[in-house]
Amino acid sequence: MIKMNFNSDTTASVCPEILSKMCEVAKEDDYMLGYNQDKYTKEVRQIMQSYFSKPIKCFFNVSGSGANVLALKTMKDNYSSIICCEDTHINRYEVGGTEYNTGCKIITCQSDDAKLTIDMIKKKLNTRNSFNFAYPKIVVLSQVTELGTCYTLKEIKEICDFCHKNDLYVYIDGARLANAMAYLNVGFKEILEDTGVDIASFGANKNGAMFGEMIIILNPMFAKNFILNQKQSMQLFSKTRFLSCQFLVMLKDNIWYKNAKHSNDMALYFEQELKKIGISLAYPVQSNAVFANFSDKQIEYLKNEYQLGSYDDEKSCCRLMTSWSTTHKEIDDFINYLKKFKS
Ligand SMILES: Cc1ncc(COP(=O)(O)O)c(C=O)c1O
């Protein structure tokens, strides 16, 4: 059978702690109000607030793409544009969902490591001199990026400072924020509040949940009426308790960190083992993504056994993702299979 373990972190199942909490919630509480009014949602919100020194608001939805659209819809004006890297998920992998649902134009920057810099952003502000162009209003950073790289806290803070001085807001697509936090060894306050981010998503889908992303609103301007936006956008999940109870486990028992750290460590192990057999990497390993430089023939060979994830045909560079459930043995099996390749 074709193996899918490294195709994406979404190929992994639900981690046992979360699954058992969901079953517990289903069994214990026959009836409970929906739409954020249940005790689990309230408790997660309290815990989240305790991590910050300023008031925050958090909301829950099912998908990462939905979180992105909701946040951006909240931050935009009618004539806004959004600045992000070419590789950014909202630009490349969401079927134009951001443009479709927000009406904003996306303005992209070329970047070798999928990270934006202040210089890149600055260049995109020239169009503000003319009434002919959409007005750059939001900067989107993916943390972790689509190439597995991470912004440092200093980089995020400098970008936020620059943006706020220049009439721009900052949204972090944090589908893998947990991996970045584990890599940087920082908490929510350091990475979001101290840097000055306006809104961020905190993904659980790729970190052991059955489904779910949290939208953390730090800029109070955007908190008012968020739920109306969520409902109108058809992103308000009625039985919120099954979303929020997953985050409760993640936060209370530090599962978010344990899972993210494990997947990051597995990526480092993967890197080490690939290098031992002469395979170089296209990008540094700073999360749970390993971009391996395979030859076209190696890729064809690997495909006999593995369902590979995205790869760049031009560079023969293939993305291998580790997850909360990756084992050393799975990586060893992959390496042993690769060792048998004959050119
Ligand atoms: C950086 C990033 N953002 C957002 C998403 C979207 O998540 P979902 O598939 O849950 O909509 C993904 C999914 O791969 C992602 O990698």
Side-chain angles (χ1 to χ4, degrees), residues 6-67:
F6 302 119
N7 174 280
S8 169
D9 36 14
T10 48
T11 63
S13 189
V14 183
C15 76
E17 295 90 339
I18 289 181
L19 195 55
S20 71
K21 183 71 182 176
M22 292 177 90
C23 293
E24 192 189 301
V25 171
K27 276 185 205 148
E28 274 181 18
D29 302 302
D30 283 347
Y31 297 99
M32 200 173 286
L33 290 177
Y35 305 106
N36 297 332
Q37 297 174 85
D38 63 278
K39 63 180 180 191
Y40 301 102
T41 304
K42 286 181 187 152
E43 194 177 351
V44 180
R45 285 178 158 170
Q46 274 167 6
I47 295 175
M48 281 305 291
Q49 182 59 73
S50 73
Y51 297 145
F52 295 91
S53 67
K54 291 187 193 147
I56 57 126
K57 288 263 186 290
C58 47
F59 296 85
F60 305 87
N61 84 322
V62 174
S63 75
S65 308

Short mmCIF file of all heavy atoms in Angstrom, two decimals, residues 6-67:
data_model
loop_
_atom_site.label_atom_id
_atom_site.label_comp_id
_atom_site.label_asym_id
_atom_site.label_seq_id
_atom_site.Cartn_x
_atom_site.Cartn_y
_atom_site.Cartn_z
N PHE A 6 4.34 11.10 4.91
CA PHE A 6 5.10 12.34 4.78
C PHE A 6 4.49 13.31 3.78
O PHE A 6 5.07 14.33 3.45
CB PHE A 6 6.56 12.03 4.42
CG PHE A 6 7.21 11.13 5.44
CD1 PHE A 6 7.71 9.88 5.08
CD2 PHE A 6 7.30 11.54 6.76
CE1 PHE A 6 8.27 9.05 6.04
CE2 PHE A 6 7.86 10.72 7.73
CZ PHE A 6 8.36 9.46 7.36
N ASN A 7 3.32 12.94 3.26
CA ASN A 7 2.66 13.78 2.27
C ASN A 7 2.27 15.14 2.86
O ASN A 7 2.44 16.18 2.23
CB ASN A 7 1.42 13.03 1.77
CG ASN A 7 0.57 13.85 0.84
OD1 ASN A 7 -0.21 14.68 1.29
ND2 ASN A 7 0.74 13.64 -0.45
N SER A 8 1.76 15.11 4.07
CA SER A 8 1.35 16.35 4.75
C SER A 8 1.16 16.04 6.22
O SER A 8 0.93 14.88 6.58
CB SER A 8 0.04 16.87 4.18
OG SER A 8 -0.47 17.90 5.00
N ASP A 9 1.20 17.07 7.06
CA ASP A 9 0.89 16.84 8.48
C ASP A 9 -0.60 16.59 8.68
O ASP A 9 -1.03 16.11 9.73
CB ASP A 9 1.40 17.97 9.38
CG ASP A 9 1.29 19.34 8.73
OD1 ASP A 9 0.59 19.46 7.71
OD2 ASP A 9 1.91 20.28 9.23
N THR A 10 -1.41 16.86 7.64
CA THR A 10 -2.85 16.57 7.77
C THR A 10 -3.16 15.10 7.50
O THR A 10 -4.31 14.68 7.68
CB THR A 10 -3.69 17.46 6.83
OG1 THR A 10 -3.11 17.41 5.54
CG2 THR A 10 -3.77 18.87 7.32
N THR A 11 -2.18 14.34 7.05
CA THR A 11 -2.46 12.91 6.85
C THR A 11 -2.46 12.16 8.20
O THR A 11 -2.95 11.04 8.28
CB THR A 11 -1.46 12.22 5.89
OG1 THR A 11 -0.15 12.28 6.46
CG2 THR A 11 -1.47 12.86 4.52
N ALA A 12 -1.91 12.78 9.23
CA ALA A 12 -1.88 12.14 10.55
C ALA A 12 -3.27 12.14 11.16
O ALA A 12 -4.09 13.02 10.87
CB ALA A 12 -0.92 12.88 11.46
N SER A 13 -3.52 11.17 12.01
CA SER A 13 -4.83 11.07 12.65
C SER A 13 -4.97 12.07 13.81
O SER A 13 -4.18 13.00 13.93
CB SER A 13 -5.04 9.64 13.12
OG SER A 13 -6.37 9.47 13.55
N VAL A 14 -5.97 11.83 14.63
CA VAL A 14 -6.22 12.71 15.78
C VAL A 14 -5.43 12.17 16.97
O VAL A 14 -5.41 10.96 17.19
CB VAL A 14 -7.73 12.69 16.13
CG1 VAL A 14 -8.04 13.65 17.26
CG2 VAL A 14 -8.55 12.98 14.90
N CYS A 15 -4.82 13.04 17.73
CA CYS A 15 -4.00 12.52 18.84
C CYS A 15 -4.93 12.02 19.96
O CYS A 15 -6.04 12.55 20.14
CB CYS A 15 -2.97 13.53 19.29
SG CYS A 15 -3.58 14.87 20.27
N PRO A 16 -4.51 10.99 20.67
CA PRO A 16 -5.42 10.30 21.61
C PRO A 16 -5.99 11.21 22.69
O PRO A 16 -7.16 11.06 23.07
CB PRO A 16 -4.53 9.21 22.24
CG PRO A 16 -3.18 9.34 21.64
CD PRO A 16 -3.20 10.38 20.59
N GLU A 17 -5.21 12.14 23.17
CA GLU A 17 -5.71 13.02 24.25
C GLU A 17 -6.92 13.82 23.76
O GLU A 17 -7.89 14.03 24.49
CB GLU A 17 -4.62 14.01 24.70
CG GLU A 17 -3.40 13.38 25.36
CD GLU A 17 -2.30 13.02 24.36
OE1 GLU A 17 -2.60 12.88 23.15
OE2 GLU A 17 -1.15 12.85 24.80
N ILE A 18 -6.84 14.27 22.53
CA ILE A 18 -7.94 15.09 21.98
C ILE A 18 -9.16 14.23 21.69
O ILE A 18 -10.29 14.58 22.04
CB ILE A 18 -7.46 15.86 20.73
CG1 ILE A 18 -6.50 16.97 21.18
CG2 ILE A 18 -8.63 16.44 19.94
CD1 ILE A 18 -5.94 17.83 20.10
N LEU A 19 -8.91 13.08 21.11
CA LEU A 19 -10.02 12.18 20.79
C LEU A 19 -10.76 11.79 22.06
O LEU A 19 -12.00 11.80 22.10
CB LEU A 19 -9.50 10.95 20.06
CG LEU A 19 -10.54 10.11 19.35
CD1 LEU A 19 -11.38 10.92 18.39
CD2 LEU A 19 -9.88 8.95 18.62
N SER A 20 -10.02 11.47 23.11
CA SER A 20 -10.72 11.02 24.32
C SER A 20 -11.49 12.19 24.95
O SER A 20 -12.58 12.00 25.48
CB SER A 20 -9.79 10.33 25.31
OG SER A 20 -8.93 11.24 25.88
N LYS A 21 -10.97 13.41 24.84
CA LYS A 21 -11.71 14.56 25.38
C LYS A 21 -13.01 14.77 24.59
O LYS A 21 -14.08 15.04 25.17
CB LYS A 21 -10.84 15.82 25.30
CG LYS A 21 -11.47 17.06 25.87
CD LYS A 21 -11.56 16.98 27.39
CE LYS A 21 -12.23 18.19 28.00
NZ LYS A 21 -12.39 18.06 29.45
N MET A 22 -12.94 14.60 23.27
CA MET A 22 -14.15 14.79 22.46
C MET A 22 -15.21 13.75 22.83
O MET A 22 -16.40 14.06 22.92
CB MET A 22 -13.81 14.72 20.97
CG MET A 22 -12.97 15.90 20.51
SD MET A 22 -12.50 15.77 18.80
CE MET A 22 -13.87 16.60 18.00
N CYS A 23 -14.75 12.52 23.07
CA CYS A 23 -15.69 11.46 23.45
C CYS A 23 -16.29 11.78 24.81
O CYS A 23 -17.50 11.62 25.03
CB CYS A 23 -14.99 10.11 23.51
SG CYS A 23 -14.47 9.56 21.89
N GLU A 24 -15.44 12.24 25.71
CA GLU A 24 -15.89 12.59 27.06
C GLU A 24 -16.96 13.69 26.99
O GLU A 24 -18.01 13.60 27.61
CB GLU A 24 -14.67 13.12 27.82
CG GLU A 24 -14.79 13.28 29.30
CD GLU A 24 -13.55 14.02 29.82
OE1 GLU A 24 -12.41 13.52 29.63
OE2 GLU A 24 -13.72 15.11 30.36
N VAL A 25 -16.68 14.72 26.18
CA VAL A 25 -17.64 15.82 26.04
C VAL A 25 -18.94 15.31 25.44
O VAL A 25 -20.04 15.66 25.88
CB VAL A 25 -17.02 16.96 25.19
CG1 VAL A 25 -18.05 18.02 24.85
CG2 VAL A 25 -15.83 17.59 25.92
N ALA A 26 -18.82 14.42 24.47
CA ALA A 26 -20.03 13.90 23.81
C ALA A 26 -20.87 13.08 24.79
O ALA A 26 -22.10 13.12 24.76
CB ALA A 26 -19.64 13.06 22.61
N LYS A 27 -20.19 12.33 25.65
CA LYS A 27 -20.91 11.44 26.56
C LYS A 27 -21.51 12.19 27.75
O LYS A 27 -22.62 11.95 28.17
CB LYS A 27 -19.96 10.38 27.10
CG LYS A 27 -19.80 9.21 26.15
CD LYS A 27 -18.93 8.16 26.82
CE LYS A 27 -18.25 7.31 25.78
NZ LYS A 27 -16.94 6.83 26.20
N GLU A 28 -20.71 13.09 28.31
CA GLU A 28 -21.11 13.70 29.57
C GLU A 28 -22.20 14.75 29.43
O GLU A 28 -23.02 14.92 30.30
CB GLU A 28 -19.89 14.37 30.23
CG GLU A 28 -19.11 13.38 31.06
CD GLU A 28 -17.93 14.04 31.72
OE1 GLU A 28 -17.89 15.26 31.81
OE2 GLU A 28 -17.03 13.29 32.12
N ASP A 29 -22.14 15.47 28.34
CA ASP A 29 -23.05 16.61 28.23
C ASP A 29 -24.03 16.37 27.10
O ASP A 29 -23.73 16.58 25.94
CB ASP A 29 -22.23 17.88 27.96
CG ASP A 29 -21.22 18.11 29.06
OD1 ASP A 29 -21.65 18.21 30.20
OD2 ASP A 29 -20.02 18.16 28.76
N ASP A 30 -25.22 15.95 27.48
CA ASP A 30 -26.22 15.66 26.47
C ASP A 30 -26.62 16.91 25.71
O ASP A 30 -26.69 16.92 24.50
CB ASP A 30 -27.46 15.05 27.13
CG ASP A 30 -27.23 13.61 27.50
OD1 ASP A 30 -26.21 13.06 27.01
OD2 ASP A 30 -28.02 13.04 28.25
N TYR A 31 -26.91 17.94 26.48
CA TYR A 31 -27.39 19.17 25.84
C TYR A 31 -26.53 20.35 26.29
O TYR A 31 -26.20 20.47 27.47
CB TYR A 31 -28.84 19.45 26.23
CG TYR A 31 -29.79 18.38 25.75
CD1 TYR A 31 -30.23 17.38 26.61
CD2 TYR A 31 -30.24 18.37 24.44
CE1 TYR A 31 -31.08 16.38 26.17
CE2 TYR A 31 -31.10 17.38 23.99
CZ TYR A 31 -31.51 16.39 24.86
OH TYR A 31 -32.35 15.41 24.41
N MET A 32 -26.20 21.17 25.39
CA MET A 32 -25.41 22.35 25.74
C MET A 32 -25.62 23.40 24.66
O MET A 32 -25.72 23.05 23.48
CB MET A 32 -23.92 21.95 25.80
CG MET A 32 -23.12 22.94 26.60
SD MET A 32 -21.43 22.38 26.84
CE MET A 32 -21.65 21.13 28.04
N LEU A 33 -25.68 24.64 25.07
CA LEU A 33 -25.90 25.70 24.06
C LEU A 33 -24.75 25.74 23.07
O LEU A 33 -23.60 25.46 23.42
CB LEU A 33 -26.03 27.06 24.75
CG LEU A 33 -27.30 27.30 25.58
CD1 LEU A 33 -27.23 28.67 26.26
CD2 LEU A 33 -28.55 27.20 24.71
N GLY A 34 -25.09 26.12 21.86
CA GLY A 34 -24.05 26.22 20.81
C GLY A 34 -23.52 27.63 20.68
O GLY A 34 -23.73 28.48 21.56
N TYR A 35 -22.82 27.85 19.59
CA TYR A 35 -22.36 29.20 19.21
C TYR A 35 -21.60 29.92 20.33
O TYR A 35 -22.00 31.02 20.75
CB TYR A 35 -23.55 30.04 18.72
CG TYR A 35 -24.32 29.38 17.61
CD1 TYR A 35 -25.56 28.80 17.84
CD2 TYR A 35 -23.78 29.29 16.33
CE1 TYR A 35 -26.26 28.16 16.83
CE2 TYR A 35 -24.47 28.64 15.31
CZ TYR A 35 -25.70 28.09 15.56
OH TYR A 35 -26.39 27.45 14.58
N ASN A 36 -20.59 29.29 20.85
CA ASN A 36 -19.68 29.89 21.84
C ASN A 36 -20.24 29.99 23.26
O ASN A 36 -19.59 30.54 24.14
CB ASN A 36 -19.23 31.31 21.44
CG ASN A 36 -18.44 31.32 20.15
OD1 ASN A 36 -17.80 30.34 19.80
ND2 ASN A 36 -18.50 32.43 19.45
N GLN A 37 -21.46 29.49 23.46
CA GLN A 37 -22.06 29.72 24.78
C GLN A 37 -21.83 28.55 25.75
O GLN A 37 -22.37 28.53 26.84
CB GLN A 37 -23.56 29.95 24.62
CG GLN A 37 -23.86 31.20 23.82
CD GLN A 37 -25.34 31.32 23.57
OE1 GLN A 37 -26.08 31.85 24.39
NE2 GLN A 37 -25.79 30.79 22.44
N ASP A 38 -21.05 27.59 25.36
CA ASP A 38 -20.81 26.43 26.21
C ASP A 38 -19.63 26.68 27.15
O ASP A 38 -18.82 27.57 26.93
CB ASP A 38 -20.51 25.21 25.31
CG ASP A 38 -19.26 25.43 24.51
OD1 ASP A 38 -19.31 26.10 23.45
OD2 ASP A 38 -18.18 25.00 24.96
N LYS A 39 -19.53 25.82 28.17
CA LYS A 39 -18.51 26.03 29.20
C LYS A 39 -17.09 25.80 28.68
O LYS A 39 -16.14 26.40 29.16
CB LYS A 39 -18.80 25.16 30.42
CG LYS A 39 -18.73 23.67 30.17
CD LYS A 39 -19.04 22.88 31.45
CE LYS A 39 -18.97 21.40 31.16
NZ LYS A 39 -19.47 20.54 32.19
N TYR A 40 -16.94 24.92 27.70
CA TYR A 40 -15.59 24.64 27.20
C TYR A 40 -15.03 25.85 26.46
O TYR A 40 -13.87 26.23 26.62
CB TYR A 40 -15.60 23.41 26.28
CG TYR A 40 -16.12 22.19 26.99
CD1 TYR A 40 -17.42 21.73 26.78
CD2 TYR A 40 -15.32 21.51 27.91
CE1 TYR A 40 -17.90 20.63 27.45
CE2 TYR A 40 -15.80 20.41 28.59
CZ TYR A 40 -17.09 19.97 28.36
OH TYR A 40 -17.58 18.89 29.04
N THR A 41 -15.89 26.47 25.66
CA THR A 41 -15.45 27.65 24.91
C THR A 41 -15.08 28.76 25.89
O THR A 41 -14.05 29.43 25.73
CB THR A 41 -16.56 28.12 23.94
OG1 THR A 41 -16.89 27.02 23.10
CG2 THR A 41 -16.12 29.29 23.10
N LYS A 42 -15.92 28.90 26.92
CA LYS A 42 -15.64 29.95 27.92
C LYS A 42 -14.30 29.69 28.61
O LYS A 42 -13.50 30.61 28.81
CB LYS A 42 -16.77 30.03 28.95
CG LYS A 42 -18.01 30.68 28.36
CD LYS A 42 -19.14 30.78 29.37
CE LYS A 42 -20.39 31.30 28.63
NZ LYS A 42 -21.62 30.87 29.22
N GLU A 43 -14.05 28.44 28.93
CA GLU A 43 -12.80 28.12 29.65
C GLU A 43 -11.58 28.35 28.76
O GLU A 43 -10.57 28.90 29.20
CB GLU A 43 -12.84 26.67 30.17
CG GLU A 43 -11.73 26.42 31.18
CD GLU A 43 -11.74 25.03 31.78
OE1 GLU A 43 -12.71 24.27 31.57
OE2 GLU A 43 -10.74 24.70 32.47
N VAL A 44 -11.66 27.93 27.52
CA VAL A 44 -10.51 28.15 26.61
C VAL A 44 -10.23 29.64 26.50
O VAL A 44 -9.08 30.08 26.53
CB VAL A 44 -10.77 27.61 25.19
CG1 VAL A 44 -9.56 27.85 24.30
CG2 VAL A 44 -11.07 26.15 25.20
N ARG A 45 -11.30 30.40 26.38
CA ARG A 45 -11.12 31.85 26.25
C ARG A 45 -10.43 32.44 27.48
O ARG A 45 -9.57 33.29 27.36
CB ARG A 45 -12.48 32.52 26.01
CG ARG A 45 -12.96 32.29 24.59
CD ARG A 45 -14.31 32.90 24.36
NE ARG A 45 -14.53 33.15 22.94
CZ ARG A 45 -15.70 33.49 22.43
NH1 ARG A 45 -16.74 33.63 23.21
NH2 ARG A 45 -15.81 33.72 21.14
N GLN A 46 -10.84 31.93 28.66
CA GLN A 46 -10.20 32.41 29.89
C GLN A 46 -8.72 32.05 29.92
O GLN A 46 -7.87 32.86 30.27
CB GLN A 46 -10.87 31.79 31.12
CG GLN A 46 -12.09 32.56 31.58
CD GLN A 46 -12.91 31.75 32.59
OE1 GLN A 46 -12.50 30.67 33.02
NE2 GLN A 46 -14.07 32.28 32.94
N ILE A 47 -8.42 30.83 29.54
CA ILE A 47 -7.02 30.40 29.56
C ILE A 47 -6.22 31.24 28.58
O ILE A 47 -5.13 31.73 28.90
CB ILE A 47 -6.89 28.89 29.22
CG1 ILE A 47 -7.57 28.06 30.30
CG2 ILE A 47 -5.42 28.48 29.08
CD1 ILE A 47 -7.63 26.57 30.01
N MET A 48 -6.76 31.41 27.39
CA MET A 48 -6.04 32.21 26.39
C MET A 48 -5.78 33.62 26.93
O MET A 48 -4.67 34.14 26.82
CB MET A 48 -6.83 32.30 25.07
CG MET A 48 -6.72 31.08 24.19
SD MET A 48 -5.03 30.61 23.78
CE MET A 48 -4.53 31.93 22.69
N GLN A 49 -6.81 34.21 27.52
CA GLN A 49 -6.64 35.57 28.04
C GLN A 49 -5.52 35.62 29.09
O GLN A 49 -4.77 36.59 29.16
CB GLN A 49 -7.98 36.08 28.61
CG GLN A 49 -7.92 37.51 29.13
CD GLN A 49 -7.52 38.52 28.06
OE1 GLN A 49 -8.27 38.84 27.17
NE2 GLN A 49 -6.27 39.03 28.13
N SER A 50 -5.41 34.56 29.89
CA SER A 50 -4.40 34.57 30.96
C SER A 50 -2.98 34.62 30.41
O SER A 50 -2.05 34.96 31.13
CB SER A 50 -4.58 33.34 31.86
OG SER A 50 -4.14 32.18 31.19
N TYR A 51 -2.78 34.30 29.15
CA TYR A 51 -1.43 34.33 28.56
C TYR A 51 -1.02 35.75 28.17
O TYR A 51 0.15 36.00 27.88
CB TYR A 51 -1.35 33.46 27.30
CG TYR A 51 -1.61 31.98 27.53
CD1 TYR A 51 -2.27 31.22 26.57
CD2 TYR A 51 -1.18 31.34 28.69
CE1 TYR A 51 -2.50 29.87 26.76
CE2 TYR A 51 -1.42 29.99 28.89
CZ TYR A 51 -2.07 29.26 27.91
OH TYR A 51 -2.31 27.93 28.10
N PHE A 52 -1.99 36.64 28.08
CA PHE A 52 -1.70 37.99 27.56
C PHE A 52 -1.86 39.04 28.66
O PHE A 52 -2.58 38.83 29.62
CB PHE A 52 -2.67 38.31 26.41
CG PHE A 52 -2.49 37.43 25.21
CD1 PHE A 52 -3.20 36.24 25.08
CD2 PHE A 52 -1.60 37.76 24.20
CE1 PHE A 52 -3.04 35.42 23.97
CE2 PHE A 52 -1.42 36.94 23.09
CZ PHE A 52 -2.14 35.77 22.98
N SER A 53 -1.19 40.19 28.46
CA SER A 53 -1.39 41.25 29.44
C SER A 53 -2.47 42.23 28.99
O SER A 53 -3.02 42.96 29.80
CB SER A 53 -0.07 41.98 29.72
OG SER A 53 0.33 42.68 28.57
N LYS A 54 -2.78 42.25 27.70
CA LYS A 54 -3.85 43.12 27.21
C LYS A 54 -5.07 42.25 26.84
O LYS A 54 -4.90 41.07 26.53
CB LYS A 54 -3.38 43.86 25.95
CG LYS A 54 -2.31 44.87 26.24
CD LYS A 54 -2.02 45.69 24.99
CE LYS A 54 -0.74 46.46 25.17
NZ LYS A 54 0.00 46.62 23.94
N PRO A 55 -6.25 42.86 26.81
CA PRO A 55 -7.43 42.05 26.45
C PRO A 55 -7.33 41.52 25.01
O PRO A 55 -6.92 42.25 24.11
CB PRO A 55 -8.60 43.03 26.56
CG PRO A 55 -8.07 44.25 27.22
CD PRO A 55 -6.60 44.26 27.09
N ILE A 56 -7.67 40.27 24.86
CA ILE A 56 -7.73 39.68 23.52
C ILE A 56 -9.11 39.03 23.35
O ILE A 56 -9.82 38.87 24.34
CB ILE A 56 -6.64 38.60 23.31
CG1 ILE A 56 -6.77 37.49 24.38
CG2 ILE A 56 -5.25 39.19 23.32
CD1 ILE A 56 -6.89 36.13 23.82
N LYS A 57 -9.41 38.67 22.14
CA LYS A 57 -10.65 37.91 21.91
C LYS A 57 -10.29 36.70 21.06
O LYS A 57 -9.42 36.80 20.19
CB LYS A 57 -11.66 38.74 21.12
CG LYS A 57 -12.28 39.87 21.93
CD LYS A 57 -13.64 39.43 22.49
CE LYS A 57 -14.42 40.51 23.20
NZ LYS A 57 -13.91 40.95 24.45
N CYS A 58 -10.91 35.57 21.34
CA CYS A 58 -10.66 34.47 20.40
C CYS A 58 -11.93 33.78 19.96
O CYS A 58 -12.92 33.72 20.67
CB CYS A 58 -9.62 33.50 20.92
SG CYS A 58 -9.82 32.99 22.57
N PHE A 59 -11.86 33.31 18.74
CA PHE A 59 -12.98 32.66 18.07
C PHE A 59 -12.48 31.35 17.47
O PHE A 59 -11.27 31.18 17.27
CB PHE A 59 -13.55 33.58 16.97
CG PHE A 59 -14.14 34.84 17.53
CD1 PHE A 59 -13.33 35.95 17.79
CD2 PHE A 59 -15.49 34.90 17.84
CE1 PHE A 59 -13.88 37.11 18.35
CE2 PHE A 59 -16.03 36.06 18.39
CZ PHE A 59 -15.23 37.16 18.64
N PHE A 60 -13.40 30.48 17.16
CA PHE A 60 -13.01 29.15 16.68
C PHE A 60 -13.69 28.86 15.35
O PHE A 60 -14.86 29.18 15.17
CB PHE A 60 -13.42 28.08 17.70
CG PHE A 60 -12.87 28.38 19.07
CD1 PHE A 60 -13.58 29.20 19.94
CD2 PHE A 60 -11.64 27.90 19.45
CE1 PHE A 60 -13.07 29.52 21.19
CE2 PHE A 60 -11.12 28.21 20.71
CZ PHE A 60 -11.83 29.02 21.58
N ASN A 61 -12.96 28.28 14.45
CA ASN A 61 -13.62 27.80 13.23
C ASN A 61 -12.92 26.53 12.76
O ASN A 61 -11.94 26.09 13.37
CB ASN A 61 -13.70 28.89 12.16
CG ASN A 61 -12.46 28.99 11.35
OD1 ASN A 61 -11.37 28.84 11.89
ND2 ASN A 61 -12.57 29.22 10.06
N VAL A 62 -13.42 25.98 11.68
CA VAL A 62 -12.98 24.63 11.33
C VAL A 62 -11.69 24.62 10.51
O VAL A 62 -10.80 23.82 10.77
CB VAL A 62 -14.12 23.89 10.59
CG1 VAL A 62 -13.65 22.54 10.06
CG2 VAL A 62 -15.30 23.69 11.52
N SER A 63 -11.56 25.51 9.56
CA SER A 63 -10.42 25.38 8.64
C SER A 63 -9.48 26.58 8.68
O SER A 63 -9.86 27.70 9.07
CB SER A 63 -10.94 25.22 7.20
OG SER A 63 -11.39 26.45 6.71
N GLY A 64 -8.25 26.33 8.23
CA GLY A 64 -7.24 27.38 8.16
C GLY A 64 -7.59 28.42 7.11
O GLY A 64 -7.41 29.63 7.32
N SER A 65 -8.11 27.97 5.99
CA SER A 65 -8.49 28.91 4.93
C SER A 65 -9.63 29.80 5.42
O SER A 65 -9.65 31.01 5.15
CB SER A 65 -8.95 28.17 3.67
OG SER A 65 -7.99 27.21 3.29
N GLY A 66 -10.55 29.20 6.16
CA GLY A 66 -11.66 29.97 6.71
C GLY A 66 -11.16 31.02 7.69
O GLY A 66 -11.64 32.16 7.70
N ALA A 67 -10.19 30.64 8.52
CA ALA A 67 -9.62 31.59 9.49
C ALA A 67 -8.99 32.77 8.75
O ALA A 67 -9.17 33.93 9.13
CB ALA A 67 -8.59 30.88 10.36
#
